[in-house]
Amino acid sequence: MLLPLQNTILEKIATGQSLAETVDYLCREVETMTDDIVCSVLLLDEEQRLRHLAGPSLPLEYTSAIDGIAIGHGVGSCGTAAFHGEPVLVENIDTHEFWQPYKQLALPLGLKACWSTPIIGSGKVLGTFAFYYRNIRGPSDPERQIVNACVHLCAIAMERDQRMAERRRMADTDGLTGLPNRSRFNEVIAEVSRRDGDWALMLVDLDNLKMVNDTFGHGAGDDLIRIVAERMKQECAPGMTFRLGGDEFAVIVPCLVTTDPAELAEKLIYRIKEPADCAGHLIYPAATLGGARAGLERSPQQVRQNADYALYHAKERARGRYLEYQPGLGSSIVKRFRSVQEVDQALRNDRIDAHYQPIIELATGRIMGFETLCRMRMPDGRVIEAAHFHEAMKDAHVAIEITDRMLERIASAASDWTREGLLFSRVGLNLSAADFHRGGLTRRIVDAFERVGLAPGTVVAEVTESVYLAQKDNVIADEIHALREAGIKVALDDFGTGFASLTHLLTVPVDIIKIDKCFVRRLADAGSGSVITKGLLDIARGLGIWVVAEGIEEEAQAEQLVSLDCKAGQGYFFARPVDRDSVREMLEVSNYHANWMRILRERQHLALDKAS
């Protein structure tokens, strides 16, 4: 009878049936083999307490009464067996000392004897397997064989269940902090929202993790994350603190009746600010928090999004504090946040790419080089210009990621064109203020081009006038100097739209200025447009700076710039920005811009006709 049962139980274990169902089935089958036994299986938890697992013939009142009892010598048959790791036989519950505190539970049920055997696996007690008898007696030899087989089967089932539970725990646990991770967060927030209508979510962002990593190393940064995680865990409801990744944490407040999110946030901020020993360095942590309350009509996704808006707003306006979402929270912040999310998703999905607009030598029509412009491909296939996600570029993290992506694309494309023998001079890379303040900009550009076998001089670092003028701490001026020292040309973009530009050119020289398109548009104005442009050209020429005119959209503008002795230009009149393959085709067909060459030739013929 045992062999078929063993095979059935092993099959249930192998196919992943739950531990409770498997052991319950085992108990029911064993109880059919003898007349007066009642079978019970208990689990031993981490707190050394016995937990009811299976006992199909025991009433709920009995199993509830013994559930959670701490093991020890003299704690019934099962508590004593689990404590000593040896079988315990009590042939008469009514008189045995082990059962005196508990016999009033068993005797009214007709249970007169109990034989308990510890279930041992991997060298430790996992639980107990017990036979209750309705008569005063001990086990027979056949019953001993049954119990030996059942204990072995229970050990196999329990060990497998523990391994599976550990795998689930590891899958749901952040390896660095031991907190539940993003996956578990998604499960819990869904559970809380189904169960309660009155809850809140707080998102916590460490303010200085990057600085700690850069200054003291990633070991110190990891210590900081662990310490902050432990402090937050101590202040919040059990199991409601999560690490979502990087420097971002989440706290679910499951009941607003007992916990006010603003008060909890203040406690968290106070605790997080306490000094921390991180890899031997004294660090003063800081965090910014954003929160949102749920309502009956709000989904977990909406609450999460509102908390994200609040955190983003706090990082913009209230670093180191807590802000709670309110309806109508700054529409500009919401617009920027949505734009950041959209660009972040595009970066992850590899939908951010480089397009290239040729820069033309106006006197000859020769393609001198290209300015690289960021483009985003939408999920529906549309390609949109950077102007459409300009709000996202105000976020330093996004700006840096975009620059890294563009640098990678430019270096790869320039390497391919050079290897194929296609002629061009340089490719421009647009830089943001965040790229300068991040540090190490020159080194990153040099490394990117050296990796593909090109000299740093292949790239032109394009800096907008607004960034160029923001030199209060000399970071930008020092980096421009480093770029030029490394052989990288520096172009001042949108020239003429700022203030005191000419004064700055004396102290922080650049190689190229790009006259803003607003001046090019006004070339046709009576006097003013061309006079200002001519003045800028004369000053640049005197300083030995090359000039590129931006935004040339009409033939007349190009002709007037040539008459003013402007050396180079770009704009839709010559070509719109194109992808990498189109650049290859453009350079393969001709190293000159065909339409502009035709116009130049016509002008030359016209001049000759007039002269003759």
Side-chain angles (χ1 to χ4, degrees), residues 355-360 369-373 375 514 550-552 570-578 583 586:
H355 280 214
Y356 307 87
Q357 186 173 39
I359 296 172
I360 306 298
F370 300 89
E371 178 182 358
T372 307
L373 299 164
R375 294 292 183 264
K514 302 185 77 173
E550 296 185 288
I552 302 173
Q570 65 184 95
Y572 288 174
F573 172 66
F574 297 110
R576 289 178 175 270
V578 294
V583 169
M586 187 183 296

Side-chain angles (χ1 to χ4, degrees), residues 306-611:
N306 290 346
D308 271 327
Y309 288 155
L311 177 62
Y312 195 83
H313 192 65
K315 289 196 291 186
E316 289 274 318
R317 306 287 178 84
R319 282 273 178 183
R321 292 166 50 198
Y322 169 71
L323 286 182
E324 194 166 287
Y325 175 82
Q326 300 294 332
L329 180 70
S331 58
S332 62
I333 293 292
V334 172
K335 180 180 178 182
R336 185 186 303 181
F337 178 81
R338 286 175 175 162
S339 182
V340 167
Q341 284 189 314
E342 188 177 61
V343 173
D344 185 59
Q345 188 66 43
L347 282 163
R348 286 200 297 270
N349 295 341
D350 199 26
R351 291 189 283 105
I352 296 291
D353 206 351
H355 280 214
Y356 307 87
Q357 186 173 39
I359 296 172
I360 306 298
E361 186 176 36
L362 296 179
T364 65
R366 182 173 63 91
I367 297 175
M368 302 171 63
F370 300 89
E371 178 182 358
T372 307
L373 299 164
C374 182
R375 294 292 183 264
M376 180 165 68
R377 180 169 45 82
M378 303 300 287
D380 62 6
R382 289 180 301 118
V383 176
I384 63 174
E385 299 178 5
H388 292 282
F389 49 95
H390 176 67
E391 283 295 321
M393 301 298 286
K394 295 178 182 177
D395 184 281
H397 298 293
V398 171
I400 286 170
E401 284 196 59
I402 290 288
T403 300
D404 287 346
R405 180 65 56 86
M406 291 298 100
L407 182 57
E408 171 199 331
R409 294 289 199 269
I410 292 168
S412 173
S415 174
D416 288 348
W417 299 333
T418 302
R419 190 173 57 255
E420 294 166 18
L422 301 174
L423 298 177
F424 67 98
S425 179
R426 294 181 179 87
V427 183
L429 168 68
N430 288 296
L431 300 173
S432 68
D435 295 314
F436 285 89
H437 291 288
R438 177 188 185 186
L441 174 61
T442 302
R443 186 72 263 162
R444 285 197 304 279
I445 295 175
V446 170
D447 288 347
F449 276 81
E450 285 184 347
R451 277 195 297 270
V452 296
L454 294 178
T458 309
V459 68
V460 174
E462 298 202 14
V463 186
T464 63
E465 199 170 53
S466 60
V467 172
Y468 175 79
L469 293 175
Q471 299 180 34
K472 295 177 183 178
D473 53 7
N474 293 324
V475 169
I476 293 170
D478 291 344
E479 197 66 57
I480 287 175
H481 178 73
L483 288 165
R484 299 183 76 217
E485 284 287 309
I488 298 168
K489 299 294 184 185
V490 176
L492 186 53
D493 205 2
D494 303 332
F495 185 78
T497 58
F499 300 95
S501 306
L502 299 177
T503 304
H504 282 75
L505 286 174
L506 298 176
T507 55
V508 187
V510 296
D511 303 287
I512 302 163
I513 61 172
K514 302 185 77 173
I515 298 177
D516 188 73
K517 59 188 176 184
C518 67
F519 293 103
V520 174
R521 286 200 196 104
R522 293 181 179 179
L523 284 173
D525 293 351
S528 61
S530 59
V531 168
I532 293 173
T533 303
K534 185 177 186 305
L536 292 175
L537 288 165
D538 290 342
I539 292 168
R541 193 178 300 112
L543 294 173
I545 297 174
W546 190 270
V547 176
V548 177
E550 296 185 288
I552 302 173
E553 297 182 358
E554 300 171 1
E555 178 182 327
Q557 293 170 344
E559 290 182 340
Q560 198 160 357
L561 286 164
V562 170
S563 70
L564 295 173
D565 199 24
C566 180
K567 300 300 183 186
Q570 65 184 95
Y572 288 174
F573 172 66
F574 297 110
R576 289 178 175 270
V578 294
D579 61 22
R580 178 173 176 164
D581 291 335
S582 298
V583 169
R584 178 182 287 106
E585 294 170 7
M586 187 183 296
L587 293 176
E588 283 175 347
V589 170
S590 171
N591 199 38
Y592 293 86
H593 189 272
N595 290 339
W596 182 236
M597 283 300 294
R598 176 183 55 76
I599 294 166
L600 287 175
R601 283 196 295 270
E602 289 175 356
R603 285 182 56 213
Q604 289 168 357
H605 291 317
L606 183 61
L608 288 172
D609 289 342
K610 286 182 179 179

Side-chain angles (χ1 to χ4, degrees), residues 260-333:
D260 179 65
E263 292 179 3
L264 177 58
E266 289 303 313
K267 288 181 182 178
L268 289 173
I269 291 170
Y270 180 79
R271 281 298 313 278
I272 290 171
K273 280 184 177 179
E274 294 175 5
D277 182 350
C278 302
H281 303 281
L282 187 63
I283 305 295
Y284 290 86
T288 302
L289 289 72
R293 295 171 185 253
L296 292 175
E297 75 288 353
R298 288 185 185 158
S299 67
Q301 294 78 17
Q302 184 63 55
V303 176
R304 170 68 190 274
Q305 187 174 67
N306 290 346
D308 271 327
Y309 288 155
L311 177 62
Y312 195 83
H313 192 65
K315 289 196 291 186
E316 289 274 318
R317 306 287 178 84
R319 282 273 178 183
R321 292 166 50 198
Y322 169 71
L323 286 182
E324 194 166 287
Y325 175 82
Q326 300 294 332
L329 180 70
S331 58
S332 62
I333 293 292

